[in-house]
Amino acid sequence: MSVWNPENVRDVAESVGIAALSEEVLTLLESEIHYRLGQVLEEALRFMRHSRRTVLSTRDIALALRALDVEPLYGYESTRPLRFGEASLGPGQPLFYVEDEEVDFERLINAPLPKVPREVAYTGKYSHWLAVEGVQPSIPQNPTTADTRNQDLLPKSAGANPNLTTINGSDATGTKPLVKHVLSKEQQLYFERICTAINDEYDESNRLGAFASIRGDPGVHQLTPYFVHYASEKVTHNLKNLFILKQMLELLSAILDNKSLFLDPYVTSLVPPVLTCLVSAHLGSPGNPLEHFPLRAIAASVMGRIAKKFGKSSYSLRPRLARTCLKLFLDPRKPLEVHYGALLGLKAVSDREGIRLLILPNLKEYANLLQEAFDGGPPGSNAAEFVIGAIMGGLQDLKDEAGPLVNGYASGNVGAQRNEMENALGSLIADRVIREGDPKLVQAVLESLRQSSRKSEG
């Protein structure tokens, strides 16, 4: 039996223009109303229990209606208690009503408009991270950089004009950021001392002590984004200063050495400064065109460590780095210095498989570019010599996984394979391999070439 009064159903129907309802329809509507009210109350009680409360509130009813996809109740909620007045309709018939508050129109007109409330998000569909490891994700629910810049332009002092603030869409009180990331004075002092020490060109012991502190101090975690940003800024504005570039690579290497740091959110910020030191076309002073090659080797080592450490958590990291280096290596318009860095990067990121599949098949065409550099003389020939050294270093890595010498190689006469080597690698690189006089190296290179050709044919 329904507890809902059928006369109320009839009154509502008449108010919307339905003059007559049969008893059967009234019975069905009563049961439907009873069921829907129970559904709303059950959902509201769930919100009440999840809020650790024992009293049901109107807020729980509003959230229940939203959860059931019912049109919500409009209007602003009041946190002030309701004031009830009493009137009498006759003997023993009191009538209670909500007293209306008297409002000063002048004060109401001059008051700033309230902020539009944000939509409530409580289900898993709309949940989001405010910050992950101190980094705010770039999603629509979080404030953007433009929003923060607009907040900075608003008046914040106690004497600011509230009317101007109202026009700008904010009130005179400051808005607290969702993520508060404040460094203590000790951390700020530590950061300044570390930055000063690693940039001191004349005090090596001070630099080594600073790097040792970053490697072993677990308290550096809160300073990690600041160090990464500092390294990126220094690399961007000091491409001619090899000392600064080397120190920034050492700084990033020290951060990678610290086992107490969780660096996964900072991978996208760690890669750009290292990649810049690896494949930038212009590094160091023009007066000494060879001094930047050791810096590129250090950058390749750091890049390899990043790829190895974060390759599993960021599955697309290795392919993207390898694709970038391969594109630069195969671009004949790039200088040989860039090709040198790209070769070292490919070797560090993709190991022997990358040498076998990405570098070896392209060496025959690339040998022509190297030959032109040798024919042109210094400084191109000097850069080409470094590139040859990087190629030979990659080929030596293939030798480490080669099997025992077989017929044709065990005699030690590597000159017998010269024709096959020249057809695959070009005369310049083949001559360097033959000149090594290492039959195991020749066997490893030829076997790798055959494997790569079979894979390309398959």
Side-chain angles (χ1 to χ4, degrees):
M1 180 177 177
S2 175
V3 297
W4 191 259
N5 190 349
E7 293 300 325
N8 292 339
V9 179
R10 191 185 304 275
D11 292 340
V12 172
E14 291 177 353
S15 68
V16 295
I18 302 175
L21 284 179
S22 64
E23 294 298 328
E24 183 181 359
V25 173
L26 279 177
T27 304
L28 292 175
L29 287 176
E30 287 176 26
S31 60
E32 178 69 15
I33 293 171
H34 179 69
Y35 170 74
R36 295 301 177 186
L37 284 176
Q39 189 179 19
V40 172
L41 289 175
E42 182 181 357
E43 193 70 26
L45 288 172
R46 184 178 293 114
F47 280 101
M48 181 193 73
R49 288 192 294 268
H50 286 182
S51 301
R52 301 293 189 270
R53 289 185 282 103
T54 57
V55 178
L56 190 67
S57 67
T58 56
R59 182 66 174 168
D60 298 326
I61 299 294
L63 292 175
L65 292 174
R66 186 183 293 274
L68 295 173
D69 199 18
V70 179
E71 187 174 3
L73 301 176
Y74 297 104
Y76 289 97
E77 295 183 358
S78 175
T79 57
R80 292 172 295 180
L82 296 178
R83 296 170 54 187
F84 291 93
E86 183 180 355
S88 178
L89 298 178
Q93 295 182 353
L95 175 65
F96 295 93
Y97 61 93
V98 179
E99 290 186 354
D100 293 330
E101 181 185 1
E102 293 184 1
V103 179
D104 185 358
F105 278 103
E106 184 177 355
R107 187 181 63 179
L108 180 64
I109 293 173
N110 295 329
L113 295 175
K115 284 186 176 181
V116 178
R118 290 197 175 198
E119 184 178 0
V120 178
Y122 53 85
T123 63
K125 180 179 178 182
Y126 298 101
S127 60
H128 67 280
W129 288 101
L130 294 180
V132 180
E133 293 295 330
V135 179
Q136 178 178 279
S138 297
I139 55 178
Q141 289 83 356
N142 286 338
T144 61
T145 307
D147 296 335
T148 306
R149 191 180 302 112
N150 291 336
Q151 288 291 336
D152 293 338
L153 297 176
L154 297 177
K156 299 178 177 61
S157 62
N161 190 339
N163 297 324
L164 293 178
T165 314
T166 304
I167 295 173
N168 285 317
S170 175
D171 52 18
T173 58
T175 303
K176 285 188 176 181
L178 294 178
V179 181
K180 189 176 182 180
H181 195 226
V182 180
L183 296 178
S184 64
K185 292 183 178 180
E186 291 79 6
Q187 289 174 324
Q188 295 179 25
L189 182 61
Y190 176 83
F191 179 77
E192 293 173 1
R193 292 285 179 84
I194 291 293
C195 294
T196 303
I198 62 179
N199 291 322
D200 190 354
E201 190 172 356
Y202 304 101
D203 194 345
E204 184 177 2
S205 61
N206 203 11
R207 294 199 308 271
L208 296 178
F211 292 135
S213 176
I214 295 176
R215 288 188 180 95
D217 190 352
V220 182
H221 177 75
Q222 211 171 0
L223 291 170
T224 301
Y226 295 94
F227 279 127
V228 174
H229 178 73
Y230 177 76
S232 179
E233 288 292 319
K234 280 291 187 180
V235 169
T236 302
H237 298 97
N238 293 275
L239 292 179
K240 302 300 181 183
N241 192 332
L242 295 182
F243 173 78
I244 295 294
L245 298 180
K246 182 180 178 182
Q247 299 314 304
M248 294 305 105
L249 291 176
E250 293 288 346
L251 172 61
L252 297 178
S253 179
I255 292 175
L256 293 173
D257 287 336
N258 195 324
K259 298 180 180 179
S260 303
L261 302 181
F262 180 67
L263 299 174
D264 286 37
Y266 309 109
V267 175
T268 54
S269 300
L270 287 170
V271 171
V274 180
L275 197 61
T276 299
C277 295
L278 181 65
V279 295
S280 181
H282 305 287
L283 294 176
S285 59
N288 193 349
L290 302 180
E291 61 181 358
H292 57 84
F293 285 99
L295 177 75
R296 297 180 189 272
I298 298 174
S301 175
V302 178
M303 182 68 72
R305 293 183 58 194
I306 293 175
K308 183 177 181 180
K309 187 170 184 177
F310 306 106
K312 294 182 179 179
S313 60
S314 181
Y315 64 92
S316 62
L317 179 63
R318 282 177 178 264
R320 285 190 287 116
L321 291 176
R323 193 181 304 115
T324 300
C325 292
L326 181 63
K327 181 180 179 181
L328 294 172
F329 172 61
L330 297 179
D331 190 350
R333 296 169 296 179
K334 299 294 183 182
L336 293 180
E337 292 83 358
V338 176
H339 294 169
Y340 175 78
L343 276 171
L344 294 182
L346 274 175
K347 186 171 66 172
V349 170
S350 54
D351 297 327
R352 299 185 183 93
E353 194 67 19
I355 298 172
R356 184 182 299 111
L357 299 178
L358 302 178
I359 297 178
L360 271 180
N362 299 296
L363 287 183
K364 183 176 181 181
E365 295 294 332
Y366 188 73
N368 298 328
L369 186 64
L370 290 177
Q371 189 61 55
E372 293 178 3
F374 278 113
D375 295 340
S381 58
N382 297 330
E385 197 63 46
F386 275 95
V387 176
I388 287 286
I391 294 174
M392 294 303 298
L395 298 182
Q396 290 288 347
D397 292 342
L398 297 177
K399 185 179 68 173
D400 297 337
E401 63 178 10
L405 294 175
V406 296
N407 293 336
Y409 303 99
S411 63
N413 183 16
V414 296
Q417 286 80 27
R418 176 180 289 275
N419 290 335
E420 187 176 0
M421 293 284 291
E422 289 183 351
N423 291 333
L425 304 179
S427 58
L428 178 62
I429 300 177
D431 182 67
R432 293 298 182 98
V433 175
I434 297 295
R435 196 185 303 174
E436 291 288 326
D438 189 347
K440 193 172 183 179
L441 173 62
V442 175
Q443 176 182 326
V445 171
L446 292 178
E447 286 181 353
S448 298
L449 286 168
R450 296 184 188 114
Q451 291 178 11
S452 62
S453 63
R454 283 196 296 268
K455 288 185 179 181
S456 61
E457 291 173 0

